[in-house]
Amino acid sequence: MKIVYIGSTSAIIYTIKYREPIKSTYDKSQDSFLHWKFAAAPCGVLAFLTHLIGSGISQFNLMELLWTFSIYCEAVAILPQLIVLQRYREVENLTGNYIFLMGAYRFLYILNWIYRANTEHNYRHHWVVYICGVLQTLLYADFFYYYFKRYVGHSTGKGPCQIRYGIAHDCTTHL
């Protein structure tokens, strides 16, 4: 399953960076988030400190450190997209639905943790995963508010969005 996930993620990145017509829709001026300064470096430092405090130098494990780093990166990976949405206050339908589904996935993941903790006898609790999962879900809260407001506000089919079969069509959402 991991191979399918890594392969599909690689295909998406390749398509966005190198294939037309998607490649030409990328606007570098909107992508001003300093990834290394505000995401990668802080996640790396936090992962190192967390791992050092939790395991100590004597039980240092590079794979565990990289896993912790990936959990922190996953929690903040949506930040650049959310910043762009807040800055321009405009969301295309596909983008809005994608971000909603990403947030819903994370929320369902939290429900999965709760279920597994109550049903599996040998379930390993990991506070880093819990904190990062809740943080990531909270990052979506503002977006969810406007997303639901849009669907409730336009549920009659009036206004800029046409709702057919529960999906908004031919519209742009203004946050």
Side-chain angles (χ1 to χ4, degrees):
M1 197 62 184
K2 288 282 187 185
I3 293 171
V4 172
Y5 175 75
I6 291 170
S8 63
T9 301
S10 299
I12 290 169
I13 292 170
Y14 174 80
T15 302
I16 290 170
K17 290 187 79 74
Y18 302 110
R19 300 288 307 262
E20 292 294 345
I22 297 171
K23 174 184 161 185
S24 61
T25 63
Y26 174 71
D27 184 4
K28 179 104 173 120
S29 66
Q30 289 185 4
D31 191 5
S32 60
F33 187 79
L34 302 173
H35 302 86
W36 290 106
K37 186 175 182 179
F38 295 114
C43 287
V45 169
L46 189 58
F48 182 76
L49 291 174
T50 303
H51 186 61
L52 191 63
I53 292 168
S55 300
I57 293 176
S58 63
Q59 295 180 342
F60 183 82
N61 182 330
L62 182 62
M63 292 307 288
E64 191 73 20
L65 173 67
L66 293 174
W67 176 81
T68 305
F69 174 70
S70 75
I71 295 296
Y72 287 137
C73 283
E74 183 182 6
V76 298
I78 195 66
L79 275 177
Q81 185 68 44
L82 293 176
I83 289 170
V84 167
L85 296 178
Q86 284 294 323
R87 182 181 303 142
Y88 293 101
R89 307 295 241 180
E90 195 170 280
V91 181
E92 293 178 1
N93 245 359
L94 184 60
T95 305
N97 291 337
Y98 172 76
I99 292 173
F100 171 77
L101 290 172
M102 289 291 292
Y105 155 79
R106 179 48 64 183
F107 177 73
L108 291 172
Y109 213 79
I110 291 172
L111 294 179
N112 178 52
W113 296 334
I114 294 168
Y115 172 78
R116 289 181 65 196
N118 289 313
T119 60
E120 293 180 17
H121 298 301
N122 297 323
Y123 183 72
R124 180 178 173 218
H125 296 277
H126 204 294
W127 64 272
V128 170
V129 175
Y130 293 153
I131 291 171
C132 290
V134 171
L135 172 68
Q136 187 177 13
T137 304
L138 290 175
L139 288 174
Y140 287 97
D142 183 56
F143 177 81
F144 282 156
Y145 170 76
Y146 288 107
Y147 186 86
F148 286 120
K149 185 176 174 183
R150 168 186 150 197
Y151 278 96
V152 171
H154 295 94
S155 61
T156 61
K158 298 177 183 175
C161 296
Q162 297 297 315
I163 307 296
R164 295 188 299 260
Y165 309 111
I167 301 171
H169 296 276
D170 304 323
C171 66
T172 300
T173 304
H174 297 278
L175 295 179

